[in-house]
Structures are given as structure tokens and as C-alpha cells.
Amino acid sequence: MMSLQNLSSTRELIRAASKELGIGRSEAELVIATLMNRPRLEIYLKDTVNEEDGFILWSRIQQLKNGIPIEYVTKRVQFRDYTLSVQPGVFIPRIETESFVELLPKILPRSPERVLEIGTGCGAISIALAQLYPDADIIATDISEPAIANAVQNIKSFDFESRIHLLRCDMLEGITGKFDLIVSNPPYVPRSRMKLLPKSVREFEPLKAIDGGEHGVQFIEKLVKKGMDYLTGAGVMALEIDEDSVKKLKTFMADRHIGSFVFKRDLFNKYRFLFIGVGNEKS
Ligand code: SAM
Ligand code: GLN
């Protein structure tokens, strides 16, 4: 165990973190800068670390060593232009979802005015949409109490309280009216793949946010079945999905005579998004 008097400078902390986490110096610099929430160069410019800060940093390095995602250690996550708070127990927004938001203006025929997000987690998608569409009024739901509490915090800190209305409910329960856009990044990982997820996900993230049932489409099929009635005439449903579910979803859509939809790939070139109400994909 490293003694705290050895950790009175950032140089020493970086050396110790590199050894403790088994990473190189530049990665350790990034880790320390992230934990300190300061630019990398600045951590060298003010090199002295007092005992209390040294202790806090060392305990955070221990959390990382135990596999806790860095976002839960810092309680921060970057999502597009925003640094959001993310609390342990709440799903950590992924980069794929940032590209999902980027795609929307390219796909949607017009700016949506009434938006419904199902399963908002810490509020990332709704906050990004409130910024993208200044005239939109958004309802964001989640079934999880910690998620709603986390989203309240983020929505307040970015001053979107008058435009994003949070509701704790199961999917569409209690929702009335019609929407130009229903958007969701639902639980979609097929059950058989859950055990293959990285340890940091399996052990620390809420599995109910990720587990999509036997084929990864349990939530999606239910949402499409019920949600279509909540769309306005030219309304669009935008969903994040798993690539392995594409075939199953195409069959589902054909069975329900939904002819207007399109699948789009993410930045890793995997089919990741389904837009219903635009395009006309066949079979
Ligand atoms: N939208 C956030 C994002 O993209 O980072 C969170 C997405 S996370 C994959 C799925 C979210 O759906 C979780 O926050 C989870 O609590 C929520 N959820 C799961 N089942 C739900 C249900 N039946 N009704 C509403 N939300 C649900
Ligand atoms: N892409 C996420 C993961 O693999 C899962 C997201 C989801 O189920 N919506 O951890």
C-alpha cells in the first residue's frame, strides 16, 4: 500500500496510479486529470497535492482498480456539448447515443414540437434534443427512481425545467396526447449476450436498463405496438437497437404491416438505429 506522504505531488500520484492500475504514464496523466477535473497540463503546473486531496484521489484510484467505471467515480459524463452528472445505479450514456442524436435532424422531415422520450436515464437524449429543437416541448419518462432523480438534477442545472417534463412510469403508462417524435434508447441487449458484457457493465450498471429479453426486442416490440397510436400523422419513432435484432425486427414490422422505416448504422458501422415513419424499407 502506498503511503500518503508519497502522494504529495501530482507527479508522484501519476507514477503511483500508473503502477497501481497497470497503465502507461500518459494514460495515468489522463486518469489523474479526469479525477481532478482539470486540464492535463494544469495538473503539472500546480504540482502539490495536500493530504486530504491525496487521500481522496488514492481512494478513487482504488475504485477504478476494482472495475468501477470512471464515470461513476467522477459522477460526470460527457454527452455532446454537455458535462452531465451521472450517479451510480443510472445507465452511463454511450457514444453511440450521441451519434443517434446527431442523426435525428438528418432523418426527421421537420423539427418536432412535441417529443416523448421513453427511458431517459440521466436525461442525456432529452437535454440534447431541448438544445437542438428550441421550440420542442419534451416529456421524458423512466421507470427507475434513481434515474429520475439524476435527470431532475441535470435538467435543473441546464435550465430546461420548463421544457422537459419528467414522469416516473412504466413505458407509456399515464401518457396522453400525440407526439411528433417518440425517441428511446431502450434495454436491448439479447439475454444470451448479457454475460459477455464487460465486467464494469455487468457488475456496476443497472441491468434492467440493458437486458432486452431473449432476443433483445422485448421492450422494443411492446413500445412499437403501443406507441404507434401516440404518433401524429407525420410522427417518427426513433429507437436505438442491437444489430443482432435487425432480422427479427424486420419480420415484426412486416407482420404489423409497417412499411415505412429505415435502419441506420452507428459510428462503428453497426446497425444501431431504427426510424419508423420515414423511408420505405422492404422485408
Ligand atoms: N436514455 C438514456 C441514455 O440513452 O443514456 C438511458 C438509456 S438506458 C439503455 C434504458 C433506460 O430505460 C434506463 O434508464 C431504464 O431505467 C429505463 N427503463 C427500463 N425499463 C423501463 C420501462 N418499463 N419504462 C420506462 N423506462 C424503462
Ligand atoms: N450499448 C449498451 C451496452 O452494450 C446497451 C444499451 C442498451 O441496452 N440500450 O452496454
Side-chain angles (χ1 to χ4, degrees):
M1 172 70 187
M2 193 67 53
S3 86
L4 284 176
Q5 55 269 42
N6 291 337
L7 298 174
S8 56
S9 79
T10 36
R11 267 163 233 273
E12 285 158 3
L13 262 166
I14 287 163
R15 216 171 300 129
S18 155
K19 203 164 153 222
E20 193 75 359
L21 300 174
I23 55 180
R25 194 197 71 188
S26 58
E27 208 179 332
E29 284 168 353
L30 278 178
V31 167
I32 295 294
T34 305
L35 293 179
M36 288 179 146
N37 197 16
R38 291 194 0 225
R40 193 167 46 162
L41 178 62
E42 223 180 79
I43 63 175
Y44 280 114
L45 296 180
K46 185 182 169 289
D47 194 33
T48 333
V49 176
N50 68 39
E51 196 174 325
E52 192 188 342
D53 288 348
F55 178 78
I56 293 172
L57 282 163
W58 192 247
S59 66
R60 290 185 178 163
I61 289 165
Q62 294 306 314
Q63 291 180 310
L64 294 177
K65 194 178 174 186
N66 290 332
I68 301 182
I70 196 160
E71 293 87 346
Y72 287 157
V73 176
T74 60
K75 305 208 172 54
R76 292 191 311 272
V77 63
Q78 192 67 32
F79 191 84
R80 294 183 89 248
D81 305 344
Y82 295 100
T83 302
L84 300 174
S85 140
V86 65
Q87 300 298 324
V90 178
F91 182 82
I92 301 167
R94 306 291 204 263
I95 196 165
E96 291 90 325
T97 308
E98 292 187 66
S99 68
F100 185 32
V101 171
E102 300 294 322
L103 261 180
L104 281 167
K106 297 181 189 128
I107 298 275
L108 297 182
R110 65 181 71 90
S111 297
E113 286 180 4
R114 291 209 71 214
V115 176
L116 172 63
E117 188 196 358
I118 306 290
T120 194
C122 73
I125 296 178
S126 284
I127 287 172
L129 292 181
Q131 183 200 33
L132 261 177
Y133 299 112
D135 294 327
D137 193 59
I138 302 171
I139 295 179
T141 76
D142 207 290
I143 199 166
S144 142
E145 170 82 52
I148 292 288
N150 196 160
V152 165
Q153 191 188 356
N154 282 320
I155 288 164
K156 244 191 200 162
S157 70
F158 293 104
D159 247 355
F160 282 129
E161 286 151 293
S162 62
R163 300 198 28 230
I164 306 176
H165 316 281
L166 282 167
L167 193 64
R168 184 175 175 216
C169 67
D170 182 356
M171 201 178 278
L172 291 154
E173 187 190 69
I175 305 281
T176 53
K178 301 259 182 193
F179 299 87
D180 305 311
L181 172 66
I182 298 178
V183 62
S184 184
N185 170 17
Y188 63 61
V189 173
R191 180 80 40 85
S192 59
R193 289 226 325 270
M194 289 294 291
K195 56 180 182 300
L196 305 176
L197 291 172
K199 182 171 170 272
S200 62
V201 177
R202 274 184 289 116
E203 289 191 3
F204 298 102
E205 292 205 62
L207 299 182
K208 279 195 180 137
I210 301 171
D211 184 346
E214 194 184 347
H215 301 288
V217 295
Q218 194 169 296
F219 193 99
I220 294 168
E221 291 191 352
K222 202 166 150 196
L223 180 56
V224 175
K225 267 187 211 160
K226 296 191 172 185
M228 297 300 276
D229 288 343
Y230 288 79
L231 286 177
T232 53
V236 171
M237 190 179 290
L239 302 167
E240 206 177 296
I241 56 135
D242 187 85
E243 184 164 65
D244 291 344
S245 306
V246 168
K247 225 172 128 194
K248 196 114 186 58
L249 287 171
K250 281 186 177 176
T251 309
F252 169 78
M253 238 95 67
D255 290 348
R256 300 193 68 81
H257 309 289
I258 300 173
S260 172
F261 63 91
V262 65
F263 287 96
K264 292 280 177 192
R265 295 175 194 267
D266 63 16
L267 58 181
F268 306 107
N269 213 26
K270 289 193 168 184
Y271 281 113
R272 177 73 61 203
F273 313 113
L274 166 61
F275 298 90
I276 302 175
V278 282
N280 63 349
E281 190 141 343
K282 293 270 178 292
S283 75

